[in-house]
Amino acid sequence: MDCFSTEAIVQAMLDFEATLARAQSDVGLIPSGAASSIAAHCKASLLDCDKIVAASSRAGSLAIPLVQQLRAAVATVDKDAARYVHFGATSQDVIDTAVMLATKKSLAMLDSELGRIVFALANLARVHRMTPVLARTLMQAAQVTSFGAKCANWLAPIARSRWALRELKADALRVQLGGAVGTRALLGKNGGEIARLMAERLELTSAPAPWHTQRDRIARMAAELGILAGSLGKVARDVSLMMQSEVAELGQTVDAGRGGSSAMPHKKNPVGAMVAIAASIRAPLRVAAMLSTMSQEHERGLGNWQAELAEWSNLFTTVHGAAHALGDLCSMLTVDDVRMRANVESQRGLVFTEAASQLLANELGKNEADALVQVASRRAVANDSSLAQELRIALAADPMSFGVVDESELAAVFSIDEAASQAAWVIDANLDELAAMRALD
Amino acid sequence: MDCFSTEAIVQAMLDFEATLARAQSDVGLIPSGAASSIAAHCKASLLDCDKIVAASSRAGSLAIPLVQQLRAAVATVDKDAARYVHFGATSQDVIDTAVMLATKKSLAMLDSELGRIVFALANLARVHRMTPVLARTLMQAAQVTSFGAKCANWLAPIARSRWALRELKADALRVQLGGAVGTRALLGKNGGEIARLMAERLELTSAPAPWHTQRDRIARMAAELGILAGSLGKVARDVSLMMQSEVAELGQTVDAGRGGSSAMPHKKNPVGAMVAIAASIRAPLRVAAMLSTMSQEHERGLGNWQAELAEWSNLFTTVHGAAHALGDLCSMLTVDDVRMRANVESQRGLVFTEAASQLLANELGKNEADALVQVASRRAVANDSSLAQELRIALAADPMSFGVVDESELAAVFSIDEAASQAAWVIDANLDELAAMRALD
Amino acid sequence: MDCFSTEAIVQAMLDFEATLARAQSDVGLIPSGAASSIAAHCKASLLDCDKIVAASSRAGSLAIPLVQQLRAAVATVDKDAARYVHFGATSQDVIDTAVMLATKKSLAMLDSELGRIVFALANLARVHRMTPVLARTLMQAAQVTSFGAKCANWLAPIARSRWALRELKADALRVQLGGAVGTRALLGKNGGEIARLMAERLELTSAPAPWHTQRDRIARMAAELGILAGSLGKVARDVSLMMQSEVAELGQTVDAGRGGSSAMPHKKNPVGAMVAIAASIRAPLRVAAMLSTMSQEHERGLGNWQAELAEWSNLFTTVHGAAHALGDLCSMLTVDDVRMRANVESQRGLVFTEAASQLLANELGKNEADALVQVASRRAVANDSSLAQELRIALAADPMSFGVVDESELAAVFSIDEAASQAAWVIDANLDELAAMRALD
Amino acid sequence: MDCFSTEAIVQAMLDFEATLARAQSDVGLIPSGAASSIAAHCKASLLDCDKIVAASSRAGSLAIPLVQQLRAAVATVDKDAARYVHFGATSQDVIDTAVMLATKKSLAMLDSELGRIVFALANLARVHRMTPVLARTLMQAAQVTSFGAKCANWLAPIARSRWALRELKADALRVQLGGAVGTRALLGKNGGEIARLMAERLELTSAPAPWHTQRDRIARMAAELGILAGSLGKVARDVSLMMQSEVAELGQTVDAGRGGSSAMPHKKNPVGAMVAIAASIRAPLRVAAMLSTMSQEHERGLGNWQAELAEWSNLFTTVHGAAHALGDLCSMLTVDDVRMRANVESQRGLVFTEAASQLLANELGKNEADALVQVASRRAVANDSSLAQELRIALAADPMSFGVVDESELAAVFSIDEAASQAAWVIDANLDELAAMRALD
């Protein structure tokens, strides 16, 4: 994703300058001939980008050398027009607007990657509606759920972030136009109309007032990217845990060149999960950096605005990379439902302890039921048998409990399919809520 | 703010347990007598909080010892009811819900503090609509704006965060009810109705599905607190800069015991700004911590959920403290408009360079105008005079420019009041936009 | 750990004031009677701590109300002495010094916890020198190592951090004494001697000059705590992965009340790992907060010093909690070497691919060897056999390779014990390096 | 600084491969002809870097495509040698070592920039040993210090970080050589000697054992860079405050193209401070990211090692940029000692309140003295006079205090030069301590 490459930013800055001149001409602030001359030069290929970059480190921003070059270029063909280059604008106007233009493109690419993930996970959720899989809490086998429910839980936060980014985009991607200190002093009473025209033509949101030091909308979008990275990381983490050799519930279709090992040719590394996990570690710090830059002094900050710019593109690149990698992973994911069931079975029914206790408590009282189940659990492990079997033995042996529990009820408690089916509603509940807020579109 | 004190959390946990039992009784899942017995014991004063806390570090959470104590207490009066304590719920259900209850209270307190700030700043913005003050960029005097415009720029992001927190509150403050692994297995077909009833009675948002590992809504609220802290910090930073001895544009009314110095009795330290700045440094890291905890493994994470809880209350306390301190500061702020004007005047008119160049360019061309202004600027500094004066001398001396510039136009360019009045629209534009989104209510 | 409780800090502040007065008396700056009167009142139990805390939020620090109370108390018995209370010192002097005193205690406690971990891990490293265990890279089975080598890799960074903290302690735990602006103006030529005497008596390092805004030593110690948290988190993460139900290579001895589940009585949750993982998530952000406070303005910062103080104690508490929990975990760890071997065996010899390719390449060339191993690997999976077996079949069937590989060499390549023994040197290399730098003492 | 450019890293990786082959040949593990053939191809210009980068995103690292290309290239001229390319090494070996080689260069460049800063600040400290300047605490005028003392306080932490980086460099810049899982399995008993030879030839520190997942040394260096960034930011922050138009105590020599403004030609922006402040905001988050990656799973982490690599180079680039910019700033700094004195004088003697109270307390008792000074302070402000003058009036008017204070003593208390001279020892104390630890070399 090179939406934020120097070339792309320089062109976006030139788009700002051209649009500014045209809007000023439309409202009669500058001659229309000047606007045409300026716009004709607003092509990155006509400027010396390397020279602009080289000068920017001393000047403190790209804007000053860019405006100088542009003005000089315009002057070669239209001396009068040169004075209207960048007229009434300030460095932050052109840079902030250029960054918003780059962000718009970047968000479109991200939205498309997220669409792939949402589609893949929604599909997995539906297909594996009833597929039993171990539910694990605190990294330990706990009970049984359905793999479809897992997918729905993965999906929902990602779909919400996608939805939230669309909402924020409409609010945050604003043209910046304030002049030197945010008062549009040189633009006079036409300032508002010029800003409105520029927003329309650049397809950005119109800004009733400049937002030079009002960085909350920017920070809110950065935060949403951080949240998204966390949600992508959650999926990647779970997938990587389920792809462990000893768990082996998930795999990925083989693909030349992906995830090989330089020392171990037999390995297939989860590269997609790797990229998403790396992003989920890095993105929170980018967000913190953005938040740390918000105390921008007076009418333009010293250092904090510049730090914000540097973090912004990095954040987008990182999160886009994660979404792309996870999109690939989700599309390539193979589900081993046989192994999922086998992993449940290897728990010897201990994952049904809660339900068994509950069933017995109805007849024996809670304390007795708990005690019975606890003893049977220990025997199941010691005897390499199962909790169900040991419970049957114990119930049969105890005169008090003999016959009190119906065998079909007991079998239901230990039914892996029954347990998975009890999780299926989670899929509907999540997808319905997302659909209602139009987050699945 | 002790919404998150151990006592408050324990009581909120008990509120969960009481409401759970009542809702279960209402749908016929447990006997109504049991629900009454349980609810009767759900008072923190009846339990041994210290013992619960002591046991929690070994148990890994407050929930297990609390449920044990509660069950034992219920059993002393209603043995049958004891088995229905915490029925069908898991530790995370009770803790997450309790934290949401505490958060609701905390948000109400924060909203009220923000209301004070918004009120004070909106008032300052209106009163100082035309008060000239130096606009400063990159920590240097730049041009002139109005102090009201500064206040409007301070206000807008805070008002938006207040508005955003209200929106997020309606979405994020959900009851948590999922049972051991988020499937509400023991609650059967009544699970949804129980969750709905609980939300209604606890005045939380209903959750169609549990959000055990869907932490995005929580993270979004944390992020908004971080954004708010940044916006509070911006005001505090600017105020502290304007309160510097050498600037002295702002002060605070004297108040016994506030901001004294142990070694320097003459000092009045800006304690309000201090607290807000400290929070604006710390909050971004809390947000990053929250985002870093999002990869919660499988159906309940190991360590990350626990870290999230610890950061959450700290973040609220920090930001609430900042809002309270800044609310005090804004209410106590004294504005020295005479000094503001004097600071502008001490710039010798150099802050009007852009406007002067603009005026002259109309007659002399941009290059000539720029050159003339540059020379005059240097002379103003060297001669301890002003740019206006030096320009008049230069214009008079130069046959080419003699008489080309109207004196009244020149005077207008150097009018401090005129410059301030050009900034007044910024106040309207910001307040109107906020009013339109109902963010000033 | 309540080294940083308000009570402890208040007493440490009083220790500063008492020691300051005594040192000033020793050099003849104040009357010895005054010093005695002051010292006699420097007991937290004689002051009203709640009132000090209540006043501190308005005053901006604990120091001002504390000094006021102390002065008033001294005045009741020795009016002349009252004026010498806190003489020549500033709020930051007393607070920084008090925090260093609390830090000294906290470091001693942490050192002791780390000692337990180092001891336990060194012991495990030696006992399991030759115990084979799967080596895993990118969360996938890779090759074989020894469990002792894993323990040595866990141990080394922790031992180094313990060593580094001792080094930093000697440098960083300095008395603070600078007076209002760090020049010891009121102390005159005796300033240095007073500071030296105070350091001696408070058992802190002497500070040739005040370090009011030189926070690098403090930041360095904070960073080391963050590094330590990362190293503790690494152990906890690995242990939690090895305690997964499907891996089951590690466990913990059962202990009443530890790690139970409110919904699932059969579970034993890795609470020790949980606490350490939580700390490893949170500590990096505390370190970042500390680093973010370093730009403390002029002779004492506004907000950043205060933020630093708040983060400091939290960081120590978090990391100490993690060390304590991990110390418990390491002491309770049970090692299932049978399961470790079984997990290696379940890989069907594929973890020896590299070594097998290497052996065959000597005779057949690299390309032929790689191809042979790749085909055999696939067959081992498909036929539910092993790589060794499939290789023997392939070698026997191929006239070119028949007899070229010695069976004993082939057996050695697939020897699990042989592979583990090749890792044993890692233990020695790490322990020797640590011993040489005296990091195991 | 392009020490970490892809081209530089690729060449450093090739240097690893060449040195590995040579060392293996020296110990007799591979034929010397093979080593020569390999080494001959280890030039970045001979490979297709773009193709390596393109393949790396799928492969998960640069190492696999690089080794493949290198092996293919070697095979074209020496088929037998090809199998010894990268023999016994793993991706992490080559990448970690390459990053250490790049780091070595980067540290040398940074050390040189820091040398400029240390030199400039030490010089300023000596020159302005007695130059009075306002000491400011909590952003308010407090007392008087010397500008030299300020410079010494700026200097010391930077010199210590420079010293610490040199120490850490010797420890942390280690060759990485562990093979697939850190056991050097294929290298057999020669592993240690090969690693030693490689370290010697690459001029890195020898590693007795691999540090694949022992990232503490790396983290420690990252943390030191973060500390350094904080110390650079402190200087930049103070300088920017002292360069404010209203303070004007510092300036910078004019330099074409540096710090201009696109809208305000009269402005000279502190670009050097800007860059250093931006870095001091960003670096702490990079450090936190590094610390957050430390829980690298098992024998090589999934995502966290990769995240660490990405943060590492960014951190060095950011901090080097800050050091370079601040080095320029320090060299260009102009000191306006007249304005410094004028700013002190404008405080009307109120900055000597503490000393005046002290002087009077000797004669009048503390309470009387404090009261007298407080009244006189208020009058000085009200009457636009000075504290000294008002005190003289008050002392003369009060029969009790008449004649008790010697005029020459009173004059000494209010002597600006005297106050500055009392701060001079701070310079010596700091420079002496730095010299003793050889941190000024």
Side-chain angles (χ1 to χ4, degrees), chain A residues 61 63-64 67 71 86 89-92 94 300, chain B residues 354 366, chain D residues 260-265 269:
Chain A
S61 88
I64 294 170
V67 168
R71 189 173 282 143
H86 191 65
T90 191
S91 296
Q92 189 170 7
V94 55
R300 184 161 318 124
Chain B
E354 186 188 43
K366 182 166 172 60
Chain D
S261 157
S262 75
M264 293 160 286
N269 292 319

Side-chain angles (χ1 to χ4, degrees), chain A residues 134 136-143 241 243-246 263-264 266-267 269-270 285 347 350 353-354, chain C residues 134 136-143 241 243-246 263-264 266-267 269-270 285 347 350 353-354:
Chain A
L134 268 178
R136 299 166 174 104
T137 58
L138 286 81
M139 299 283 280
Q140 295 285 304
Q143 295 190 357
L241 288 169
M243 283 176 74
Q244 288 174 105
S245 315
E246 296 85 356
M264 293 160 287
H266 65 290
K267 282 191 65 182
N269 292 320
L285 291 320
Q347 293 296 317
L350 295 176
T353 315
E354 186 188 44
Chain C
L134 268 179
R136 299 166 175 104
T137 58
L138 286 81
M139 300 282 280
Q140 295 286 304
Q143 295 191 354
L241 288 169
M243 283 176 75
Q244 289 174 102
S245 315
E246 297 86 355
M264 294 160 286
H266 65 290
K267 281 191 68 182
N269 292 320
L285 290 322
Q347 293 295 316
L350 295 176
T353 316
E354 185 188 44

Side-chain angles (χ1 to χ4, degrees), chain B residues 136-137 140 243 246 267, chain D residues 136-137 140 243 246 267:
Chain B
R136 299 164 175 105
T137 58
Q140 295 286 304
M243 283 176 74
E246 296 85 355
K267 280 190 68 182
Chain D
R136 300 165 174 105
T137 58
Q140 295 287 304
M243 283 176 75
E246 296 86 355
K267 282 191 64 183

Side-chain angles (χ1 to χ4, degrees), chain D residues 394-430:
Chain D
L395 289 170
D398 180 356
M400 273 211 12
S401 61
F402 183 78
V404 301
V405 178
D406 187 80
E407 169 57 27
S408 70
E409 283 181 319
L410 196 63
V413 155
F414 287 97
S415 161
I416 294 175
D417 287 310
E418 183 71 19
S421 76
Q422 284 168 0
W425 69 271
V426 171
I427 304 165
D428 301 330
N430 274 287

Side-chain angles (χ1 to χ4, degrees), chain D residues 92-435:
Chain D
Q92 190 170 8
D93 291 337
V94 55
I95 292 174
D96 273 351
T97 303
V99 169
M100 290 303 102
L101 289 168
T103 301
K104 193 175 57 166
K105 283 189 195 164
S106 180
L107 279 173
M109 290 170 65
L110 179 59
D111 189 87
S112 152
E113 296 291 354
L114 295 178
R116 283 172 71 205
I117 298 174
V118 166
F119 178 83
L121 291 179
N123 198 42
L124 284 169
R126 287 187 200 102
V127 169
H128 293 284
R129 181 176 181 82
M130 299 292 194
T131 307
V133 71
L134 269 178
R136 300 165 174 105
T137 58
L138 287 81
M139 301 283 280
Q140 295 287 304
Q143 295 191 354
V144 173
T145 187
S146 89
F147 180 60
K150 279 189 89 89
C151 293
N153 278 317
W154 290 342
L155 161 66
I158 296 172
R160 276 196 293 272
S161 276
R162 190 184 180 214
W163 179 87
L165 285 171
R166 288 175 179 177
E167 295 284 306
L168 290 172
K169 181 183 155 186
D171 186 43
L173 296 190
R174 299 187 168 213
V175 77
Q176 180 69 286
L177 186 67
V181 299
T183 60
R184 294 177 184 161
L186 287 194
L187 305 179
K189 63 182 188 338
N190 293 307
E193 178 62 6
I194 293 168
R196 204 192 57 71
L197 283 170
M198 290 184 71
E200 192 177 298
R201 288 170 194 174
L202 294 169
E203 295 178 22
L204 294 174
T205 298
S206 185
W211 44 281
H212 285 166
T213 58
Q214 296 189 21
R215 313 306 284 185
D216 60 314
R217 293 189 190 91
I218 293 301
R220 209 167 276 121
M221 183 168 281
E224 192 61 46
L225 286 175
I227 293 165
L228 171 60
S231 298
L232 298 174
K234 152 75 175 162
V235 181
R237 165 72 54 192
D238 280 1
V239 169
S240 71
L241 288 168
M242 297 171 83
M243 283 176 75
Q244 290 173 103
S245 315
E246 296 86 355
V247 179
E249 294 171 344
L250 295 178
Q252 59 189 18
T253 52
V254 178
D255 180 11
R258 188 184 301 273
S261 157
S262 75
M264 293 160 286
H266 65 289
K267 282 191 64 183
K268 279 294 157 200
N269 292 319
V271 173
M274 180 182 94
V275 173
I277 289 172
S280 74
I281 296 172
R282 299 176 67 203
L285 290 321
R286 292 274 137 35
V287 175
M290 292 285 301
L291 296 176
S292 294
T293 66
M294 289 183 72
S295 298
Q296 304 190 4
E297 297 91 354
H298 292 309
E299 278 63 46
R300 183 162 318 123
L302 181 72
N304 22 37
W305 173 54
Q306 293 77 14
E308 181 205 280
L309 290 175
E311 297 289 335
W312 182 256
S313 58
N314 199 312
L315 178 59
F316 272 86
T317 309
T318 301
V319 176
H320 179 266
H324 179 73
L326 197 70
D328 282 358
L329 179 63
C330 288
S331 314
M332 294 162 63
L333 216 55
T334 58
V335 179
D336 187 340
D337 55 352
V338 174
R339 180 65 180 251
M340 286 178 177
R341 182 177 298 267
N343 285 342
V344 175
E345 285 166 348
S346 75
Q347 292 297 316
R348 307 171 182 288
L350 295 176
V351 290
F352 299 114
T353 316
E354 185 188 44
S357 295
Q358 181 53 23
L359 175 67
L360 299 182
N362 291 336
E363 308 295 338
L364 307 173
K366 182 167 172 58
N367 292 349
E368 287 69 18
D370 285 356
L372 202 68
V373 168
Q374 213 149 17
V375 170
S377 293
R378 259 185 250 124
R379 283 195 186 138
V381 174
N383 301 344
D384 201 6
S385 65
S386 77
L387 176 58
Q389 198 174 333
E390 296 293 341
L391 272 184
R392 284 191 190 98
I393 294 170
L395 289 170
D398 180 356
M400 273 211 12
S401 61
F402 183 78
V404 301
V405 178
D406 187 80
E407 169 57 27
S408 70
E409 283 181 319
L410 196 63
V413 155
F414 287 97
S415 161
I416 294 175
D417 287 310
E418 183 71 19
S421 76
Q422 284 168 0
W425 69 271
V426 171
I427 304 165
D428 301 330
N430 274 287
L431 294 185
D432 288 355
E433 192 179 11
L434 293 171

